[in-house]
């Protein structure tokens, strides 16, 4: 029986990593889209509106596909997912990005794979090898060191918001990965956003700007992206990947997110891609591959 389970895990691994890469590619544009949205709306409205729009879309998908309601025992886990990735991470990053730039925020994204792996070990019982932790820590240090180049000044409130966002996001990722094994990847994020609707919809209506027509189109485009892609579609792939490939192992793909995010910033905001970025990305990719090998 154990051999059969191992064979199934090996067969699903390539697909899990491909799903994870798609999810991370979608997430990589989140900070840029958030910065665009903040050019025309405040952080509180943005956070409530993105959760509300994702929840309404998730509810429509659940109804259209006639999905059964989760068990009562699953509600606490869904609440943790909602607190981590539907409310906590979006709100805290939006608050942070009011005072720090998107590039500054990428410093903290380098810590997310390590935090996710730690919560994965605590919540799912995964026990990666010591060599895995070595490559995971190395990849995190390379990512943070690259992203932190040129930053100066003492830590500010934005740094505290970003650090808290990373902790909550890692917890939400790990909890959702465990729950996806029972409910399915897209069902987890759909139910989590639906669970948030009683709070997100009233808040979005109450915080709606007095003159929505005055909000520039790029800001609306940023809101649409973070609501539908960052908060819903990306998680369809991401939670499925975590459930099939392992939270700690697949979570290492997040090491690539800052580099993909800088690539998006280059395309959307015209930022220059430096040779050092390519070298650091290759080093991180090697850490991801080795972490996967020894997970």
């Amino acid at each position: 029986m154990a051999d059969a389970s191992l064979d199934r895990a090996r067969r699903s691994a390539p697909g899990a990593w491909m799903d994870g890469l798609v999810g991370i590619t979608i997430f990589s544009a989140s900070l840029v889209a958030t910065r665009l949205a903040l050019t025309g709306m405040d952080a509180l409205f943005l956070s409530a509106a993105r959760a509300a729009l994702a929840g309404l879309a998730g509810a429509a998908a659940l109804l259209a596909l006639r999905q059964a309601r989760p068990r009562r025992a699953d509600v606490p886990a869904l609440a943790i997912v909602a607190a981590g990735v539907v409310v906590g991470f979006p709100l805290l990053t939006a608050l942070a990005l009011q005072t720090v730039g998107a590039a500054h925020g990428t410093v903290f994204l380098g810590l997310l794979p390590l935090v996710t792996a730690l919560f994965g070990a605590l919540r799912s019982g995964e026990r990666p090898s010591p060599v895995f932790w070595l490559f995971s820590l190395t990849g995190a240090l390379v990512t943070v060191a690259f992203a932190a180049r040129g930053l100066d000044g003492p830590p500010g409130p934005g740094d505290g918001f970003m650090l808290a966002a990373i902790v909550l996001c890692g917890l939400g990722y790990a909890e959702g990965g465990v729950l996806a094994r029972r409910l399915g990847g897209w069902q987890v994020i759909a139910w989590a956003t639906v669970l948030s609707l009683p709070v997100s919809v009233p808040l979005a209506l109450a915080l709606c700007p007095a003159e929505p027509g005055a909000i520039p189109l790029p800001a609306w485009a940023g809101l649409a992206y973070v609501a539908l892609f960052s908060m819903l579609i990306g998680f369809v792939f991401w939670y499925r990947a975590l459930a099939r490939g392992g939270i700690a192992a697949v979570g290492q793909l997040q090491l690539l997110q800052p580099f993909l995010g800088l690539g998006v910033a280059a395309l959307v905001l015209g930022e220059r891609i430096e040779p050092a970025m390519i070298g650091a990305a290759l080093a991180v990719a090697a850490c991801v591959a080795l972490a996967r090998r020894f997970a």
Side-chain angles (χ1 to χ4, degrees):
M1 184 66 68
D3 290 341
S5 299
L6 182 59
D7 287 341
R8 286 195 297 271
R10 286 171 175 167
R11 287 195 300 268
S12 66
W17 283 76
M18 182 58 67
D19 283 340
L21 186 58
V22 172
I24 287 300
T25 301
I26 292 173
F27 294 154
S28 66
S30 296
L31 291 185
V32 172
T34 299
R35 288 284 291 178
L36 286 175
L38 288 172
T39 61
M41 56 191 72
D42 62 58
L44 293 178
F45 171 70
L46 170 61
S47 302
R50 68 185 284 183
L53 290 173
L56 293 173
L62 291 167
L63 288 173
L65 298 176
R66 299 181 180 181
Q67 296 296 299
R69 292 183 179 181
R71 299 177 301 178
R72 181 174 299 180
D74 293 329
V75 173
L78 285 171
I80 292 175
V81 173
V85 302
V86 179
V87 178
F89 184 79
L91 175 60
L92 290 169
T93 53
L95 291 172
L97 291 174
Q98 290 184 123
T99 56
V100 303
H104 190 109
T106 62
V107 175
F108 296 89
L109 291 180
L111 299 173
L112 188 52
L114 193 59
V115 174
T116 302
L118 289 171
F119 278 120
L122 292 173
R123 301 298 299 173
S124 69
E126 294 182 1
R127 295 293 181 267
S129 70
V131 179
F132 164 86
W133 291 111
L134 174 62
F135 286 117
S136 178
L137 180 60
T138 301
L141 290 176
V142 170
T143 302
V144 171
F146 172 81
R149 293 174 315 127
L151 298 182
D152 53 11
D159 298 294
F161 285 135
M162 281 301 304
L163 186 59
I166 292 302
V167 173
L168 282 177
C169 188
L171 175 59
Y173 280 172
E175 197 70 35
V178 174
L179 198 56
R181 296 169 184 170
R182 298 198 302 272
L183 298 182
W186 76 268
Q187 291 90 336
V188 168
I189 191 59
W191 284 116
T193 56
V194 168
L195 189 64
S196 305
L197 282 175
V199 175
S200 62
V201 169
L203 275 178
L205 293 175
L207 297 171
C208 184
E211 298 183 6
I215 297 176
L217 185 59
W220 285 118
L223 171 59
Y225 187 91
V226 295
L228 298 179
F229 287 88
S230 300
M231 187 163 283
L232 194 62
I233 297 174
F235 279 102
V236 174
F237 297 95
W238 185 239
Y239 277 148
R240 184 167 63 187
L242 294 178
R244 296 170 62 197
I247 295 169
V250 174
Q252 297 309 298
L253 283 171
Q254 294 168 101
L255 288 171
L256 301 174
Q257 186 172 339
F259 301 98
L260 293 171
L262 290 173
V264 173
L267 291 174
V268 177
L269 304 177
E271 297 184 4
R272 188 172 67 90
I273 297 178
E274 304 173 6
M277 174 184 169
I278 299 175
L282 291 174
V284 165
C287 290
V288 171
L290 291 168
R292 174 190 177 187
R293 171 66 179 81
F294 292 101

